[in-house]
Amino acid sequence: MSGKKVNLSLYDSDKVNTGQGLKIAIVVSEWNHKITDRLYNGAFKTLIKHKVKKSDITKINVPGSFELIYGARLAQKQNFNAIIVIGCIIQGETRHFDFISQSVANSIAKLNMNDLSPVIFCVLTDNNIYQSNSRSGGDHGNKGVEAAFTALRMANLIKICLLYTSPSPRDKRQSRMPSSA
Ligand code: DLZ
């Protein structure tokens, strides 16, 4: 962690529009589940606080962070307004850490370049479990909260963009954006 102490749970609630009517998928890695459970709870509670209905939040479990890519791809085909991927990758003695972290980050970035639902990156890549604890509800707040805040902003961004680009009655090209966005 850098010298500057960042609290991941602090956000400007004025920038969040209501979550009412939004459908959100949360893909959760079971590897380091004590940490990912806490990140999930942080995200879930924040969505509920901003009026996303419990029944509109879908949790999708996958074995490890590497499988977040496939989970998010499947979710993108289901018309969610936003998708959050949650994982925790901790530096070990092998180079697995680098391979998994880079693959997940690059692949999730690619999923954000099609015109489907935005995929929010809530994957901790830490040197040790102490750092992960501190970012999942400890000294540095909870990255799940930050991810939920980002998901709400991005889902509403699509709404705003569609308002400006909605097709005229003469020009009814089909949009691939989620129907309720
Ligand atoms: C194999 C592996 C290792 C060594 N470390 C982690 C980790 O710290 N965090 C995590 O989410 N997953 C880890 N995995 C599992 C991989 O993500 C993946 O599930 C397996 O390689 C099977 O594809």
Side-chain angles (χ1 to χ4, degrees):
M1 191 114 228
S2 71
K4 198 175 166 217
K5 195 162 173 174
V6 176
N7 189 324
L8 298 160
S9 296
L10 297 179
Y11 60 90
D12 183 355
S13 55
D14 287 350
K15 289 187 176 167
V16 186
N17 298 78
T18 177
Q20 225 163 14
L22 296 180
K23 295 191 189 314
I24 311 283
I26 309 183
V27 189
V28 186
S29 158
E30 288 168 356
W31 197 283
N32 294 319
H33 68 91
K34 283 189 182 151
I35 303 289
T36 59
D37 283 352
R38 292 209 292 264
L39 295 171
Y40 173 79
N41 287 334
F44 183 86
K45 283 182 188 159
T46 306
L47 294 175
I48 297 291
K49 183 174 157 195
H50 290 283
K51 300 200 166 41
V52 180
K53 270 171 43 189
K54 202 173 169 183
S55 56
D56 285 337
I57 301 173
T58 303
K59 186 182 186 203
I60 302 166
N61 289 317
V62 295
S65 288
F66 193 75
E67 287 72 39
L68 291 172
I69 305 160
Y70 192 78
R73 233 172 92 80
L74 282 185
Q76 273 196 325
K77 295 178 182 170
Q78 301 300 322
N79 270 1
F80 289 104
N81 297 97
I83 299 161
I84 299 170
V85 294
I86 291 182
C88 172
I89 311 170
I90 301 178
Q91 178 99 58
E93 286 172 4
T94 68
R95 292 184 62 203
H96 240 93
F97 176 84
D98 300 310
F99 293 136
I100 298 173
S101 310
Q102 274 169 28
S103 306
V104 177
N106 291 339
S107 304
I108 297 300
K110 274 192 193 148
L111 291 182
N112 278 296
M113 291 166 73
N114 58 36
D115 58 357
L116 302 172
S117 343
V119 184
I120 314 306
F121 192 71
C122 181
V123 180
L124 298 178
T125 52
D126 290 326
N127 293 329
N128 52 55
I129 188 77
Y130 304 107
Q131 282 186 342
S132 304
N133 278 329
S134 113
R135 293 168 175 171
S136 58
D139 284 355
H140 287 95
N142 188 324
K143 190 163 177 66
V145 173
E146 183 207 50
F149 162 64
T150 308
L152 291 167
R153 288 197 67 188
M154 294 307 287
N156 281 298
L157 187 71
I158 301 174
K159 274 191 191 170
I160 294 164
C161 289
L162 285 181
L163 259 178
Y164 286 107
T165 59
S166 57
S168 68
R170 281 184 178 188
D171 179 22
K172 283 204 170 139
R173 280 166 299 167
Q174 239 199 331
S175 168
R176 294 178 65 205
M177 289 296 181
S179 53
S180 56

